[in-house]
Structure formats: structure tokens, C-alpha cells
Amino acid sequence: MGNTVKYIQHKMTKPNLVFITFDSLRADHCGYVGYDRNTTPNIDDLANNGISFTNAVSPASRTNPSMAGIFTGEPLVTRGKVSNPNQSKYHLERYGTIASRLSEQGYSTGAFCPNAYASRYYGFDKGFDDFEDFLFDSGTYQKVFQKHLNDSKISTSLRNIRNLIRKEEAFRTWDTYVDDMVEWANKQDSPYFMWGFSLDTHFPYITPRQHRKWSNSFSTYYYNWRCNKLLDQFDIEISERDQEGIRNIYDDSIRFADKLVGELRDRLDMENTILIISADHGEAIGERGMYGHFYPSLFEENIHVPFAIGGDIDRSETIEKPVPLTDLPKVLVEIAETGSTTYSGAELALSSAYDGVRDRNLLSIKMNGWKGHLVKQGQEGDWVSTLYELNEKGIESQEPVKDSPLMEIIDKKLQKRAAHEEEILDIRDVCAQRSGEL
């Protein structure tokens, strides 16, 4: 009788929610999605004993617009540079965040995010009781960061040198703040929602020496130097040896980042605690002659991401349908209300991006093993549509499909979304003009 009462009380208590975002982690480099290297044993265990989503898609290919979409459930529509903080601030305020919704349900909310583009500077602290982004501890650095956003090469160099010396931003590893995460969680009396962001899988891929498996000190620094020269370019051709060297240091960074999941499961009270893992976007490693994610692209290597839910949840299932990560807020709200989720994916997943440097608009839709792309160069240019069949690795083949019955269906959906985004922008412009008149 006593155990039955305890079980009922346990199920009536709102579960703790721990959401971990990995930067630049592509799904096909995770074991549970079929990767041939043992890069993610902890994520794999979570996925194999909980709910795993093998076709999750991020709403954009860079952190700021992607996390703005994930946090609100609405894609960020913009035609400005991604570095402009007003865009995500407006979006997060307009639609509300996961943290805000869970706070309304009685959750304590805390975040630990060293990524500058998902920091309070960009409005991501909205809805959080406690938000640690490890940034702007001085007014001087905030000025340097702002000049960096304004394309000052000197300020960008100063920022990078400062971060390297102090191990901040892209150089901050999860083991420097996991104690803070555990301490914060253990202090909460009410159910809590904690968001942790790992930059360990973001370039530069510098893994602590004792955690390297496929690289060494020389190859780590040599191939990071090599990769740095390839970022934000396209149609690159390098030797197979260099390709393998870059893959090795990237995979080592994933293997190290994966240990964060194991650390949290070992140190947190996992009774009535549910752990959710995903990524903000993926990472190109030579596909179509591109590396990284700085050159905006909506090909699968840049937006196909891991997504798994595990811990104290009464469901074990693999979902192969497309999953837009903009569905995450409703999934978390359902878990908060019921302790589980019935979510089983969607019919299609939409992603969008704007390349402010080259004035390119990009849209993509993934459905039924196919991928449609819609691209417009310049505001006066025409939309160009292409269709790809996903290969055995789940990535678009090199050449688009010339003839398929799905082409017209997917193109109509893409054109409809493009028209909707233009309408959103027109309405926003009218509102801004009227606001200025008042």
C-alpha cells in the first residue's frame, strides 16, 4: 500500500526537465543514428532507453535564429544580419519562450549558456529566474563584442585572443560549469527546468588531451588551423588525409561533449527527472566543398540534428518521421503537464535562413526521404527550386532530381512558405512605420 501511494504521488509531481543543447552537432555523427564510431555512448543510452528521433531538423543553420525558433516554436523571419540582437529580442518577446511557459506552470528556471549568440545580449534570458552566460563581466568587453559585431577585424581579434586566454565562449568546456549546474538544480524546491548549452562541439574542436581518441596534440592544432582557413567558403577541394584529420578532431569533440550527459545523469537525482538532448544545428565536413556552418546552408549536414528524451519517462520508441525542433516547446509543455509525451513527429520539417553577407534567402522542406530547397539571390532575384532524394546516409546527393511527382507538391509548399515570410516582413515594416509616426 505504501509503495502504491508513493508511486501515485511520484506521478502527480511535475517532473524536472533538463534540456541540453550541443552546438554544431550533426545527427549522423551520433551512434544511435547509425554512426560507425563510438562518439556518443551516453546519448545513445539515453535514446535507446527513451524516445529517440532520427530525423530531427533545426529551424536554421546558425545558433541565433535556430535557438530563437526552438525556444518559441516559431521560425525567426528576418532579412538582417544574424549578429543584430534586436531581431531575436523582438522574436523572443513577441512569441514567448519555453522558460516563460514553464515558469507559468510553477517551474523554477535556470540556464547555463556560454554561447554569446544565445546570451542575454540577444534576449535569451527571457523567462529564466537565473541565467548564467559567463559574458560581459565588464563594460569594456561588451564594447569590444559590439565592435566585433560591427565587423571590426581588430575587435574580433581582441575578442578571440581574450577568449582563448580566459577559456571563454567557444573555448569554455562543459566541465568548467557542470558543478554550477548541479548545485543550482539541487537547490530547487519546486520542479525545475534547466537549460545547459555545450560549445564543446563548436569550432575550434579543441578537446582536452586526456579525452582524445582519434587525434593527438599536433593533429588537433594543425587541423583546426587547416579548418579555420576553409570556413565561410564553398567549392573547396582538399586531400582525403586532411578531410579525415578534420573529421577526427570533430569526432573527439563530440565524444568529450557526450560525457556531459553521463555526468548529469550520475550527479542529478534522476527520480522524476527527464533529460532532453538536441543541437542548435549541424556542421559541414566537406560535403559540397563546405566546412562549418558560417556559410549559411540548409543541406542536411547543417540542419539534421540529434533529438532524444530519456530519464524517468515511461516510453521507449524510435520516431523516424520528420521532427521540426520548433515543436519542442509543445513537447516540453506536454511532459510538464503529464510526465510523458505522445508526440510522434510531423509530416514535414521546415527550415529557413537569411545570408546577410550575400543577400540570399533560403528555405527547405524535408519529407518522406526527400528534400526540397528554395533559394533567392537578392531581393529582386527569382526563387529557384531544387529537389533532392536523400541518400543512404540521409544527406542530399550531389545532383538534384530532375523529374519526380513530388517536385510540384514540395515546390508549392516552399513557395507558400516564402510568400508567408514576405507577408510577415511587410506587416512588420508597416507596424514599424506607424510606430515611428506616433
Side-chain angles (χ1 to χ4, degrees), residues 365-432:
I365 284 181
K366 181 179 183 179
M367 60 183 295
N368 302 324
W370 294 80
K371 186 79 174 292
H373 290 261
L374 194 63
V375 179
K376 183 171 76 168
Q377 181 72 54
Q379 297 306 305
E380 303 302 322
D382 294 326
W383 286 103
V384 177
S385 178
T386 51
L387 179 69
Y388 294 84
E389 187 172 10
L390 302 182
N391 61 27
E392 68 280 358
K393 294 184 178 180
I395 293 177
E396 297 94 332
S397 56
Q398 289 293 328
E399 297 297 327
V401 176
K402 298 298 183 183
D403 185 28
S404 167
L406 274 176
M407 185 173 290
E408 185 177 352
I409 296 172
I410 292 180
D411 183 62
K412 282 184 177 179
K413 292 181 182 295
L414 285 166
Q415 295 286 354
K416 184 177 180 180
R417 177 63 198 182
H420 179 60
E421 289 200 356
E422 292 301 327
E423 184 179 18
I424 290 174
L425 292 166
D426 288 343
I427 292 172
R428 193 180 300 168
D429 287 343
V430 170
C431 291

Side-chain angles (χ1 to χ4, degrees), residues 253-272:
S253 76
I254 296 172
R255 185 170 175 268
F256 174 60
D258 173 79
K259 294 179 185 295
L260 171 60
V261 177
E263 185 86 1
L264 291 174
R265 293 180 77 180
D266 288 343
R267 296 178 61 183
L268 293 176
D269 180 2
M270 292 304 295
E271 183 177 356
N272 206 31

Side-chain angles (χ1 to χ4, degrees), residues 125-392:
D125 58 336
K126 182 173 176 55
F128 284 101
D129 302 321
D130 300 293
F131 192 94
E132 177 57 79
D133 54 18
F134 312 100
L135 297 170
F136 312 131
D137 53 355
S138 72
T140 301
Y141 178 64
Q142 185 160 344
K143 292 177 181 178
V144 170
F145 183 77
Q146 183 58 56
K147 289 180 180 179
H148 151 72
L149 297 180
N150 293 333
D151 297 325
S152 167
K153 292 184 179 180
I154 294 176
S155 294
T156 297
S157 297
L158 289 174
R159 175 197 179 215
N160 292 337
I161 293 171
R162 178 258 192 192
N163 289 338
L164 175 62
I165 294 173
R166 298 186 55 171
K167 299 294 186 289
E168 297 288 358
E169 295 191 48
F171 299 96
R172 178 178 280 276
T173 53
W174 65 260
D175 54 328
T176 63
Y177 55 93
V178 67
D179 289 347
D180 298 330
M181 296 175 67
V182 172
E183 181 181 2
W184 182 89
N186 289 337
K187 284 182 178 179
Q188 308 310 309
D189 295 326
S190 56
Y192 65 81
F193 167 63
M194 180 169 67
W195 176 45
F197 195 109
S198 166
L199 269 165
D200 300 275
T201 43
H202 188 283
F203 179 83
Y205 319 119
I206 301 178
T207 302
R209 183 180 296 105
Q210 66 273 26
H211 296 287
R212 297 172 191 155
K213 183 175 183 178
W214 298 287
S215 63
N216 54 40
S217 295
F218 172 78
S219 62
T220 293
Y221 290 98
Y222 173 75
Y223 286 113
N224 271 294
W225 171 82
R226 189 80 176 87
C227 189
N228 184 58
K229 302 219 175 254
L230 307 176
L231 301 178
D232 203 25
Q233 299 184 42
F234 53 95
D235 292 337
I236 299 165
E237 292 185 10
I238 63 174
S239 69
E240 290 186 9
R241 180 179 178 180
D242 282 356
Q243 289 180 40
E244 184 67 10
I246 293 172
R247 182 171 86 110
N248 288 340
I249 60 174
Y250 178 60
D251 284 350
D252 267 341
S253 76
I254 296 172
R255 185 170 175 268
F256 174 60
D258 173 79
K259 294 179 185 295
L260 171 60
V261 177
E263 185 86 1
L264 291 174
R265 293 180 77 180
D266 288 343
R267 296 178 61 183
L268 293 176
D269 180 2
M270 292 304 295
E271 183 177 356
N272 206 31
T273 296
I274 294 173
L275 187 57
I276 305 98
I277 68 95
S278 190
D280 56 352
H281 53 74
E283 189 85 331
I285 310 178
E287 296 84 4
R288 278 157 281 277
M290 293 187 288
Y291 286 82
H293 59 274
F294 299 105
Y295 179 82
S297 160
L298 297 180
F299 286 100
E300 286 295 281
E301 57 267 20
N302 279 116
I303 60 172
H304 181 200
V305 294
F307 180 28
I309 302 172
D312 194 359
I313 192 164
D314 59 352
R315 182 181 169 197
S316 181
E317 187 177 355
T318 298
I319 307 298
E320 296 181 351
K321 293 176 67 175
V323 172
L325 282 189
T326 46
D327 283 350
L328 184 64
K330 69 180 182 183
V331 173
L332 292 189
V333 168
E334 183 187 10
I335 294 174
E337 292 175 344
T338 68
S340 188
T341 178
T342 59
Y343 182 74
S344 295
E347 294 303 317
L348 56 85
L350 168 78
S351 300
S352 62
Y354 176 69
D355 182 352
V357 175
R358 302 165 189 85
D359 193 18
R360 296 164 58 240
N361 296 311
L362 302 95
L363 289 167
S364 73
I365 284 181
K366 181 179 183 179
M367 60 183 295
N368 302 324
W370 294 80
K371 186 79 174 292
H373 290 261
L374 194 63
V375 179
K376 183 171 76 168
Q377 181 72 54
Q379 297 306 305
E380 303 302 322
D382 294 326
W383 286 103
V384 177
S385 178
T386 51
L387 179 69
Y388 294 84
E389 187 172 10
L390 302 182
N391 61 27
E392 68 280 358

